[in-house]
Amino acid sequence: MDEEAKKHYVKAGKVIQDARQVARETAEPGTNLKEIAETVEQEIKDQGLKPAFPVNTSLNEEAAHYTPSKDEEKVLTENDVLKIDIGAQSNGFIADTALTVNPSGKHQEIIDTVEKVLENALQFIEPGVTIGEFGTYVQEQVPEKYNPVMNLTGHYLDQHTQHAGVSIPNVENTSSHKFKKGDAVAIEPFITEGSGKVVHGKPGNIYLQEADRNVRGRTERKLMKTINGFDGLPFTTRWISNYGGRQKMAMRKLVQNGMVKSYDVLKDGQDGLVAQAEHTVLVGVDDGDNIVTTRR
Ligand code: MN
Ligand code: MN
């Protein structure tokens, strides 16, 4: 990893540390999820960076990929288990992090547990360790009363790319891929009281441009122009000004035509509670030690 890349990864991480703090302060009972997402995204922008993806606010049995819509109605209640997943990019270098909150404290145990699993996982990573060894170790850290989610993984990061090919499972696997010095990776265990396997739910208001061809229809063309401005990173209709009925129909067409991909919410297969913790790591770059960019 060259110094320039490292500098940007660290800068994005610093901003994300503050965004995590803002997320915790904003996630009070009675707050609309849209306010939480927008306050966190605004913090990133106020510090001169761009969100790497729309802030995810996934509730209870939902694990990931829900972001509030413009007319969001969901309001956080005290017993909710809310996963807030946040990303920022500096010159395309991404910091990716997530925390879980439960205002009443009723479900604090699953949150403390997943945070401990993440801490142990971060300690285990060093150059030469394989992804297979890593997954087996992480699975061993999960107490019997919970299941690790087997089909959600950490991932490599690269400039302008949030999911850069190699997946990092949190369960036993046979990958012989070795972590090496200079790797940028996001480590993100999910644990659940449910089945340990997520399934597709409703569309979660998150989209990604898949192609860049000419499209028919004035509204579709205008919408594609706006979408081009998101630089190939995930976006939400919440970020599109004047998004109304016509634009909604146009977006449906763009999804049907394969121009844009729509992400579904991922939720536990038995609707069990899910908790997540995530940090971004630069492997071995600090005199052989890891830098966890998103942790203060
Ligand atoms: Mn994330
Ligand atoms: Mn991630």
Side-chain angles (χ1 to χ4, degrees), residues 209 211-217 220-221 224 228 254 257 259:
Q209 182 179 351
D212 192 10
R213 297 188 302 268
N214 285 330
V215 287
R216 293 167 71 97
E220 285 83 347
R221 271 199 300 278
M224 271 318 286
N228 277 324
L254 293 177
N257 294 343
M259 300 293 290

Side-chain angles (χ1 to χ4, degrees), residues 139-177:
Q139 183 163 12
E140 283 167 2
Q141 308 309 305
V142 180
E144 210 148 302
K145 66 185 289 192
Y146 303 113
N147 281 315
V149 175
M150 57 179 288
N151 57 340
L152 288 174
T153 69
H155 49 94
Y156 271 69
L157 295 158
D158 207 346
Q159 193 177 19
H160 304 297
T161 313
Q162 194 200 348
H163 290 260
V166 181
S167 295
I168 307 171
N170 301 299
V171 294
E172 199 179 323
N173 67 87
T174 57
S175 172
S176 57
H177 179 101

Side-chain angles (χ1 to χ4, degrees), residues 53 85-86 96-98 153-155 157 162-163 186-188 190 276 278-280:
F53 50 84
D85 199 325
I86 313 167
D96 186 3
T97 195
T153 69
H155 49 94
L157 295 158
Q162 194 200 348
H163 290 260
I187 300 302
E188 50 181 316
F190 292 76
Q276 172 201 18
E278 178 179 25
H279 278 307
T280 294

Side-chain angles (χ1 to χ4, degrees), residues 21 38 48 66 76 90 145 159 166 177 216 224-225 285:
Q21 193 55 41
E38 290 189 336
Y66 183 85
L76 188 67
S90 177
K145 66 185 289 192
Q159 193 177 19
V166 181
H177 179 101
R216 293 167 71 97
M224 271 318 286
K225 209 175 157 192
V285 298

Side-chain angles (χ1 to χ4, degrees), residues 96-118:
D96 186 3
T97 195
L99 57 146
T100 302
V101 297
N102 168 238
S104 70
K106 185 182 172 197
H107 302 292
Q108 194 57 40
E109 188 184 346
I110 191 171
I111 297 173
D112 291 344
T113 304
V114 79
E115 286 180 354
K116 181 77 175 127
V117 171
L118 174 62

